[in-house]
Amino acid sequence: MNIHNYEKLWLVLAMVMIIGFISTVVYGATAVGIEMVNDEGGTIDSTALEEDDRFAEPRVERVGDNEYEAYVVARQFIFEPDPIEIPANSTLTFYVTSPDVIHGFEVVGTNANAMVIPGEVTELTVELNEPGEYGILCNEYCGGGHHTMEGKLIVQPEDEFEQGGNDE
Amino acid sequence: MSGENTVREIGHDEFDPYGTLALILIYFAILSVMWVFMYFVEFLGNDLTVLA
Ligand SMILES: [Cu+2]
């Protein structure tokens, strides 16, 4: 087969480009540690959230040095707890579920964005280094009040953080 | 192949469509730059990345 030199050149470039695309994604998954939100949060009886230790009382819990877990219930048309408060320089794992319909859970303007499905627990871990405030919103149409469904994630400066919601 | 109106006849490897080559190289360059921007700036730079 007689392939013209130029054609060989752009065939090779196309291959190089595809390899480049794949390797950047591999780089993100390995070196940076980007994960996809998957089903590892497991399932739950959506009609009995009040019997679940995590979701009966939606809250943020400290589980280690700078490690927190937020048990969030997304329901028509609120997020609980609201706001979610956390100190800076911490790792936060959200566990989000819904007792009614499918909702979205998006920390506005970031890559933390997932679907919340009744009967499933959505699990996602993020790192919060800088103090600040983020909006949380539902991005799956969930009923008449969908457009009002929002919450807040507040990252407090470390020295100002006190565990408000936890009575101990 | 050579008819009345043929001005010049060239072989397979003598035909050099450098205009097309230039266009394709520009296209590749644009794609590469856009990919780098999209992945490294827009995606990785968009903090609160899902890490687990
Ligand atoms: Cu909703």
Side-chain angles (χ1 to χ4, degrees):
Chain A
M1 192 171 55
N2 196 353
I3 302 175
H4 192 281
N5 280 336
Y6 282 14
E7 205 151 344
K8 280 182 197 148
L9 176 62
W10 55 66
L11 280 172
V12 168
L13 283 177
M15 286 314 286
V16 167
M17 192 169 263
I18 291 169
I19 292 165
F21 290 160
I22 293 173
S23 39
T24 44
V25 174
V26 170
Y27 161 81
T30 54
V32 187
I34 306 279
E35 289 268 348
M36 296 295 117
V37 178
N38 56 24
D39 63 355
E40 72 191 11
T43 58
I44 190 170
D45 181 355
S46 65
T47 61
L49 294 190
E50 59 287 344
E51 285 158 34
D52 187 272
D53 334 322
R54 293 176 297 177
F55 299 106
E57 205 191 309
R59 64 196 182 278
V60 176
E61 206 159 83
R62 186 170 180 197
V63 292
D65 275 352
N66 306 320
E67 269 181 58
Y68 293 81
E69 291 184 347
Y71 308 118
V72 180
V73 174
R75 65 170 80 236
Q76 289 169 319
F77 298 100
I78 53 167
F79 291 101
E80 299 168 306
D82 184 26
I84 295 168
E85 287 183 279
I86 208 82
N89 295 312
S90 52
T91 303
L92 174 60
T93 302
F94 294 103
Y95 295 87
V96 195
T97 195
S98 161
D100 41 46
V101 299
I102 291 178
H103 295 281
F105 181 84
E106 176 180 357
V107 181
V108 178
T110 76
N111 294 335
N113 183 354
M115 206 171 181
V116 184
I117 303 165
E120 305 238 4
V121 178
T122 299
E123 181 184 336
L124 58 149
T125 299
V126 298
E127 247 158 42
L128 295 157
N129 298 319
E130 299 299 320
E133 238 180 78
Y134 298 91
I136 293 174
L137 64 78
C138 172
N139 56 18
E140 300 267 352
Y141 181 71
C142 58
H146 167 67
H147 60 290
T148 66
M149 185 163 170
E150 59 177 0
K152 226 171 216 164
L153 169 63
I154 300 175
V155 187
Q156 309 257 15
E158 255 176 302
D159 47 344
E160 281 172 36
F161 184 77
E162 47 188 284
Q163 223 148 5
N166 266 8
D167 331 316
E168 273 165 43
Chain B
M1 278 292 277
S2 48
E4 278 286 294
N5 299 319
T6 306
V7 176
R8 185 162 60 101
E9 212 173 306
I10 54 174
H12 182 274
D13 285 318
E14 291 160 276
F15 173 60
D16 288 330
Y18 46 81
T20 308
L21 179 66
L23 280 178
I24 287 181
L25 290 179
I26 291 167
Y27 179 54
F28 273 46
I30 292 171
L31 280 182
S32 308
V33 169
M34 288 202 311
W35 175 260
V36 168
F37 180 72
M38 188 180 83
Y39 195 84
F40 291 94
V41 179
E42 292 191 316
F43 179 59
L44 293 186
N46 198 14
D47 215 5
L48 293 207
T49 293
V50 176
L51 294 176

